[in-house]
């Protein structure tokens, strides 16, 4: 926009300079120069050649064939006459294709200034006007070239600069694209004018009529050249449109692909939600029905059995949540224990024996399992999760061998990593199937499978900082390899020491607390808050409940507490914000976060928040009691702490 604002002052400046050039030329023109020959040239130029023009493509401008007669006038009658004739001709030719007075005046002024520049270039370089008397020597030819070059450069430069300012475009690309090719018209006109001037010096005025065929030849040359330019421009424009259409097509295909991927994600989410709803409905039905039965009985034995059922149902619900987190690959907890890989494979063999031996034999197929224990290594992990991964792969291998075959389980070590392999001699998989085998809801079993087994297994292996790869060939079987980091020697030593140590006596109740302490409980859910308070009070501790983080912080600043238990998702102030605020007041008070997102909290995040424990919901009463006992051991015992009552 700043460039476009410069166009009006530039156009008016050029117009004023052109008007001054016309006035200067008129004042210097000698009356004796107005002879019949000049008047004839002016009449032909203004009446005939000014009407024969060629439009410049994509620009509101044109090229006339009058250049030949303008140059001829300059040679025969001097620069002043050529300036005046050029101004008059450009005014008439411009007015035919443009009605803007400023544009017409600018075009006339630009040509006048260009002719003035050509005249003075000749006078300064050749010591005078270009005249036919110079003959056809080198001086005459060089003067013709200089005249055409200066006229072309000055005129095209002024017009291109005006167009670039008007459109807000750079000057050089504008001149190069629209006006570079017009140079041929100036050099052709100057050459024709020089030839006619030489003929007039030999045969006189009749040679002027020889200009007609030359002008016609020049005109048709312009037209032919222009058609070539227009064809090239048309091809370039067509190519540009094709590129735009192709870009639009590619963008549209990308949009459709993204939309289809989103639909697939929503469909997968719907299937997952349906399965989760089914599992939770079963869990809730067991809890609700059993609780209603307990409310109708006073039999202690029935109450005990009913509570055991409710406990198992709640644990099943918690396991369902863990499976969802595994599927989403959001679990980051690393509460791992040393696991012997050889024992792991032995367990998997026994767990899957009914499937690969009894069930396969009942279906009339023979499957043998070859166990190759080549490692005595230990890995840090969750034994139940790793067993689940291997059991799932074994079951898939059994399904892939409808006619029987051999199943091989192998453990070995490579470069400090433990490699567990599950190899079968079944049907194998095509490359496109292998590429998607770990995608959620992708299955080759039709309605018999959900397509979640390998996806969940992949998430478990990644959570163990391992990798899993698959090799398969149609008709030649499939091999899954799980690579896990081997445990350090110190971990193995601790494991051996722990195994050698005598087992601690089992107890159905948690260890008694070292002493009664005062605990602040921040939880916005009333049922969970009351449950925590009852568990802690049953252990002999004093409890102060708070329904929000803001309320809990106010209580903590007003009173002295030995421990803080807080939820994460609370209105107003989250549990993390409360933890940071508590740490600013007391950097050593034991702090526990109890949350439904517990297993999605990384160890690094726990350390950054300076939280001592992260407990996932649903929690057990024993776990809360253990936390309180640990907090009691960490804090200095109170001396004559007065008993406080809280609402």
């Amino acid at each position: 926009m700043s460039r476009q604002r410069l166009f009006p002052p530039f156009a008016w400046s050029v117009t004023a300079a052109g008007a001054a050039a016309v006035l200067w030329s008129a004042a210097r023109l000698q009356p004796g120069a107005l002879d019949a020959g000049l008047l004839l040239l002016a009449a032909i130029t203004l009446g005939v050649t000014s009407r024969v023009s060629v439009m410049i493509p994509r620009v509101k401008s044109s090229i006339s064939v009058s250049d030949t007669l303008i140059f001829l006038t300059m040679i025969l009658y001097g620069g002043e006459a050529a300036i005046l004739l050029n101004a008059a001709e450009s005014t008439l030719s411009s007015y035919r294709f443009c009605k803007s007075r400023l544009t017409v005046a600018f075009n006339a002024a630009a040509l006048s200034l260009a002719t003035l520049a050509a005249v003075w270039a000749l006078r300064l370089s050749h010591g005078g006007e270009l005249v036919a008397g110079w003959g056809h020597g080198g001086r005459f030819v060089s003067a013709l070239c200089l005249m055409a070059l200066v006229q072309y450069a000055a005129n095209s430069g002024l017009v291109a600069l005006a167009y670039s300012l008007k459109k807000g475009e750079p000057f050089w690309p504008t001149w190069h694209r629209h006006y570079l090719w017009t140079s041929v018209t100036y050099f052709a006109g100057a050459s024709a004018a020089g030839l006619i001037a030489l003929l007039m010096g030999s045969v006189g005025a009749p040679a002027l009529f020889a200009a007609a065929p030359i002008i016609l030849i020049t005109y048709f040359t312009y037209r032919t050249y222009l058609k070539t330019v227009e064809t090239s421009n048309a091809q370039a424009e067509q190519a540009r449109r094709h590129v735009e259409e192709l870009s639009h097509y590619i963008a549209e295909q990308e949009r459709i692909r993204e939309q289809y991927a989103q639909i697939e994600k929503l469909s997968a989410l719907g299937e997952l939600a349906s399965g989760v709803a089914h599992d939770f409905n079963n869990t809730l039905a067991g809890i609700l029905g059993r609780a209603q039965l307990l409310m109708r009985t006073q039999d202690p034995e029935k109450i005990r059995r009913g509570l055991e059922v409710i406990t198992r149902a709640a644990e099943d619900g918690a396991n369902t949540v863990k499976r969802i987190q595994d599927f989403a690959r959001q679990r980051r907890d690393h509460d791992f224990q040393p696991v012997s890989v050889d024992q792991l494979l032995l367990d998997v063999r026994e767990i899957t024996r009914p499937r690969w031996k009894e069930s396969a034999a009942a279906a009339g197929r023979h499957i043998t399992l070859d166990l190759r224990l080549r490692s005595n290594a230990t890995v840090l992990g969750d034994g139940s999760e790793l067993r689940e991964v291997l059991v799932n792969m074994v079951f898939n291998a059994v399904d892939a061998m409808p006619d029987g075959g051999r199943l091989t389980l192998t453990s070995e070590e490579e470069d400090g990593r433990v490699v567990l392999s599950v190899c079968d001699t079944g049907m194998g998989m095509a490359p496109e199937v292998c590429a998607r085998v770990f995608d959620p809801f992708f299955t080759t079993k039709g309605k018999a499978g959900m397509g979640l087994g390998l996806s969940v297994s992949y998430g478990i292996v990644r959570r163990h900082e391992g990798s899993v790869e698959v090799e398969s060939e149609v008709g030649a079987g499939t091999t899954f390899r799980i690579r896990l980091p081997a445990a350090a020697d110190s971990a193995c030593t601790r494991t051996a020491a722990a195994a050698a140590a005598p087992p601690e006596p089992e107890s159905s109740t948690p260890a008694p607390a070292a002493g009664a302490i005062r605990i602040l409980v921040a939880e916005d859910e009333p049922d969970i808050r009351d449950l925590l308070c009852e568990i802690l009070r049953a252990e002999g501790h004093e409890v102060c409940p708070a329904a929000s983080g803001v309320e809990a912080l106010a209580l903590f600043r007003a009173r002295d507490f030995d421990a803080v238990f807080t939820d994460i998702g609370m209105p107003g102030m989250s549990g993390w914000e409360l933890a940071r605020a508590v740490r600013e007041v007391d950097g050593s008070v034991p702090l526990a976060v109890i949350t439904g997102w517990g297993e999605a909290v990384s160890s690094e995040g726990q350390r950054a928040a300076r939280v001592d424990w992260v407990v996932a919901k649903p929690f057990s009463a024993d776990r809360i009691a253990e936390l309180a006992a640990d907090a009691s051991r960490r804090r200095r015992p109170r001396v004559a702490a007065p008993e406080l009552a809280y609402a």
Side-chain angles (χ1 to χ4, degrees), residues 353 355-370 397-408 424-426:
R353 182 183 296 274
R355 184 76 171 268
W356 59 263
K357 188 172 184 180
E358 282 82 3
S359 297
R365 51 180 176 155
H366 180 67
I367 297 177
T368 59
L369 190 146
D370 186 9
V398 172
D399 293 338
M401 295 186 290
D403 299 325
R406 177 177 293 275
L407 180 61
T408 304
D424 65 70
T425 58

Side-chain angles (χ1 to χ4, degrees), residues 510-521:
I517 59 174
R518 184 179 299 160
I519 302 175
L520 174 62
V521 175

Side-chain angles (χ1 to χ4, degrees), residues 291-469:
Q292 290 173 343
L293 288 176
L294 292 180
M295 294 174 65
R296 299 176 183 177
T297 183
Q298 300 294 328
D299 188 347
E301 183 63 23
K302 291 184 178 179
I303 293 176
R304 186 185 63 81
R305 290 198 303 268
L307 291 175
E308 290 176 353
V309 173
I310 290 176
T311 300
R312 285 196 299 269
E315 291 174 349
D316 290 343
N319 288 332
T320 300
V321 173
K322 289 182 179 180
R323 289 181 182 275
I324 296 172
Q325 291 175 328
D326 285 337
F327 165 72
R329 300 169 188 169
Q330 290 297 314
R331 290 181 61 193
R332 302 185 184 92
D333 58 314
H334 292 79
D335 189 15
F336 293 154
Q337 300 296 328
V339 178
S340 171
V341 294
D342 291 349
Q343 185 61 46
L344 188 66
L345 292 185
L346 289 170
D347 293 343
V348 170
R349 182 184 63 178
E350 297 305 317
I351 292 172
T352 59
R353 182 183 296 274
R355 184 76 171 268
W356 59 263
K357 188 172 184 180
E358 282 82 3
S359 297
R365 51 180 176 155
H366 180 67
I367 297 177
T368 59
L369 190 146
D370 186 9
L371 190 60
R372 301 176 182 177
L373 303 180
R374 301 173 179 173
S375 169
N376 193 28
T378 303
V379 298
L380 290 178
D382 188 319
S384 62
E385 289 186 349
L386 294 176
R387 278 191 296 273
E388 178 184 348
V389 172
L390 292 170
V391 166
N392 180 65
M393 291 182 177
V394 169
F395 285 168
N396 286 342
V398 172
D399 293 338
M401 295 186 290
D403 299 325
R406 177 177 293 275
L407 180 61
T408 304
L409 302 182
T410 306
S411 67
E412 53 189 348
E413 289 188 67
E414 291 182 2
D415 301 327
R417 297 180 73 84
V418 178
V419 182
L420 304 178
S421 303
V422 180
C423 180
D424 65 70
T425 58
M427 298 180 294
M429 296 180 290
E432 59 270 15
V433 176
C434 286
R436 299 189 57 192
V437 73
F438 296 112
D439 291 350
F441 302 107
F442 176 77
T443 179
T444 59
K445 302 177 183 179
K447 295 183 178 179
M450 286 290 293
L452 291 177
L454 289 178
S455 175
V456 172
S457 298
Y458 180 85
I460 292 174
V461 173
R462 293 294 295 171
R463 199 169 69 86
H464 283 73
E465 299 181 359
S467 63
V468 57
E469 58 189 35

Side-chain angles (χ1 to χ4, degrees), residues 526-541:
D527 293 339
I528 305 298
R529 186 171 63 248
D530 293 343
L531 176 61
L532 284 170
C533 292
E534 289 183 14
I535 294 173
L536 294 172
R537 285 170 180 156
E539 296 296 316
H541 304 293

Side-chain angles (χ1 to χ4, degrees), residues 100-405:
S100 172
R101 295 181 179 179
L102 178 59
T103 302
V104 172
F106 175 83
N107 290 337
L111 279 171
S112 301
L113 293 175
T115 307
L116 179 64
V119 169
W120 280 101
L122 289 173
R123 290 175 179 175
L124 294 175
S125 61
H126 289 73
E129 303 286 356
L130 174 61
V131 295
W134 288 357
H136 55 277
R139 185 183 182 194
F140 185 73
V141 174
S142 65
L144 286 175
C145 293
L146 179 64
M147 177 179 64
L149 178 62
V150 174
Q151 177 96 352
Y152 158 69
N155 185 42
S156 64
L158 290 173
V159 176
L161 181 57
Y163 186 81
S164 65
L165 292 176
K166 187 176 182 179
K167 298 297 182 181
E169 299 175 354
F171 166 76
W172 178 256
T174 300
W175 179 83
H176 185 271
R177 183 169 61 251
H178 299 302
Y179 298 100
L180 175 62
W181 64 273
T182 60
S183 59
V184 66
T185 65
Y186 291 89
F187 287 100
S191 300
L195 179 59
I196 294 171
L198 292 176
L199 290 175
M200 291 183 67
S202 300
V203 301
L208 183 61
F209 295 99
I214 296 176
I215 293 175
L216 290 176
I217 292 173
T218 304
Y219 172 72
F220 286 113
T221 302
Y222 293 170
R223 290 291 301 271
T224 302
Y225 186 76
L226 180 60
K227 287 182 179 179
T228 303
V229 173
E230 289 178 342
T231 302
S232 300
N233 290 335
Q235 292 175 349
E237 182 66 21
Q238 186 177 13
R240 185 185 63 81
R241 288 198 302 268
H242 287 169
V243 171
E244 290 181 353
E245 292 175 359
L246 181 59
S247 300
H248 178 73
Y249 174 77
I250 294 174
E252 185 67 16
Q253 291 298 313
E254 184 65 24
R255 186 188 66 81
I256 293 174
R257 189 179 299 109
E258 291 178 358
Q259 187 175 10
Y260 181 73
Q262 187 68 18
I263 292 174
E264 283 189 331
K265 291 179 182 178
L266 292 175
S267 176
L269 182 61
E271 294 184 30
L272 176 63
S274 177
V276 171
H278 177 268
D279 292 342
F280 267 107
N281 283 336
N282 289 339
T283 300
L284 294 176
I287 294 175
L288 180 61
R290 188 62 59 176
Q292 290 173 343
L293 288 176
L294 292 180
M295 294 174 65
R296 299 176 183 177
T297 183
Q298 300 294 328
D299 188 347
E301 183 63 23
K302 291 184 178 179
I303 293 176
R304 186 185 63 81
R305 290 198 303 268
L307 291 175
E308 290 176 353
V309 173
I310 290 176
T311 300
R312 285 196 299 269
E315 291 174 349
D316 290 343
N319 288 332
T320 300
V321 173
K322 289 182 179 180
R323 289 181 182 275
I324 296 172
Q325 291 175 328
D326 285 337
F327 165 72
R329 300 169 188 169
Q330 290 297 314
R331 290 181 61 193
R332 302 185 184 92
D333 58 314
H334 292 79
D335 189 15
F336 293 154
Q337 300 296 328
V339 178
S340 171
V341 294
D342 291 349
Q343 185 61 46
L344 188 66
L345 292 185
L346 289 170
D347 293 343
V348 170
R349 182 184 63 178
E350 297 305 317
I351 292 172
T352 59
R353 182 183 296 274
R355 184 76 171 268
W356 59 263
K357 188 172 184 180
E358 282 82 3
S359 297
R365 51 180 176 155
H366 180 67
I367 297 177
T368 59
L369 190 146
D370 186 9
L371 190 60
R372 301 176 182 177
L373 303 180
R374 301 173 179 173
S375 169
N376 193 28
T378 303
V379 298
L380 290 178
D382 188 319
S384 62
E385 289 186 349
L386 294 176
R387 278 191 296 273
E388 178 184 348
V389 172
L390 292 170
V391 166
N392 180 65
M393 291 182 177
V394 169
F395 285 168
N396 286 342
V398 172
D399 293 338
M401 295 186 290
D403 299 325

